[in-house]
Amino acid sequence: MTDSAIDLKVISPDRHSAGSESIVLPETLTEGLNDVQIGIMRDTVHAVNINSRIAAELVRSTAAELHRLKCVLKKQQQWTRFRESGVIPMTAGQIRDLTSAWESWLKNTDVTDQELVGTSMRTLAAIGKADPATRKDAVGKMKRGEKVTEKEVSDKAIEELVKGNKEWEITTSMKRTDLMKVCTALRDENKKLKVKIKEMQAVTL
């Protein structure tokens, strides 16, 4: 027997986690299993479900703490140094994504910890950067228990962004790279318009 092997003789069917008896397993999973194996499977499902909720809660809490720190670091380079320092077990990108998600939507959302389970930091950030319609769609999927990916959010956001602009009409043959070029072009155009607005406002003052 290897170190990782489980000796079923020393595992009693009575040694179940509190609450695991409420877990209902489909017959397709329990067929051919004995009581000990079924009991342990219930324990596992119960424990993993709890751990997943705790993990989601920790993501929300971590995002809040990072945002708190960012607010007190007055200079951008101070925040950048912290993100790249390695003093916490997160990459600079993960810190940026999680902080961005908190600032843009996570701090005010009614999405529960359970509904956040399985959503990556990149996806959380993408939801925050998306337009209201795309964000509403993503949140709705999460509330229905559906998995939401960064790619889905980004693609949906691009579709919403170019909607109504015939010159940027999207076809099913367009590649993701082409969609990103469309998005970048529109954002550049938006920046130019903002500059023109400021110039016009300066003239009228």
Side-chain angles (χ1 to χ4, degrees):
M1 179 182 297
T2 64
D3 292 339
S4 61
I6 298 177
D7 186 357
L8 295 181
K9 293 181 181 179
V10 300
I11 300 177
S12 168
D14 297 328
R15 292 180 57 193
H16 299 321
S17 301
S20 65
E21 65 278 357
S22 63
I23 300 296
V24 178
L25 300 172
E27 293 183 4
T28 53
L29 286 180
T30 59
E31 183 178 358
L33 300 183
N34 59 40
D35 290 342
V36 173
Q37 293 169 318
I38 293 174
I40 293 175
M41 185 178 289
R42 283 201 183 99
D43 284 349
T44 300
V45 171
H46 180 65
V48 171
N49 285 341
I50 291 177
N51 290 342
S52 295
R53 286 194 290 271
I54 293 173
E57 182 179 347
L58 291 175
V59 166
R60 194 191 301 266
S61 174
T62 299
E65 288 295 334
L66 290 170
H67 171 72
R68 175 170 171 261
L69 174 62
K70 182 181 178 183
C71 289
V72 300
L73 297 180
K74 302 302 182 182
K75 297 181 180 180
Q76 179 61 36
Q77 59 264 39
Q78 294 172 335
W79 174 240
T80 300
R81 282 201 300 268
F82 173 79
R83 287 192 291 108
E84 298 175 349
S85 67
V87 294
I88 59 176
M90 296 175 65
T91 65
Q94 288 174 327
I95 295 173
R96 182 179 58 249
D97 288 340
L98 208 50
T99 307
S100 172
W102 180 261
E103 294 171 342
S104 57
W105 75 284
L106 198 55
K107 64 181 177 182
N108 295 319
T109 186
D110 61 350
V111 173
T112 66
D113 293 335
Q114 178 62 40
E115 292 162 348
L116 282 175
V117 172
T119 306
S120 71
M121 296 180 194
R122 293 284 294 174
T123 302
L124 292 175
I127 292 173
K129 295 174 183 176
D131 59 278
T134 300
R135 186 181 302 177
K136 182 178 179 181
D137 180 71
V139 170
K141 287 184 177 180
M142 294 171 72
K143 286 182 173 294
R144 293 192 298 271
E146 301 175 18
K147 184 175 179 58
V148 179
T149 66
E150 180 197 2
K151 182 179 184 303
E152 290 173 347
V153 174
S154 298
D155 288 349
K156 178 70 174 176
I158 293 171
E159 290 177 10
E160 289 292 330
L161 186 63
V162 301
K163 187 181 293 183
N165 294 279
K166 293 183 179 179
E167 64 272 24
W168 296 112
E169 187 174 352
I170 296 176
T171 66
T172 54
S173 62
M174 292 181 73
K175 296 180 181 179
R176 179 173 171 78
T177 52
D178 295 326
L179 294 175
M180 294 306 297
K181 289 178 181 178
V182 170
C183 185
T184 300
L186 287 172
R187 284 176 178 167
D188 290 342
E189 183 178 353
N190 186 45
K191 289 180 181 178
K192 291 178 182 178
L193 287 172
K194 287 182 178 180
V195 172
K196 288 183 178 179
I197 290 173
K198 287 183 178 180
E199 291 174 349
M200 292 175 65
Q201 289 175 337
V203 171
T204 57
L205 292 177

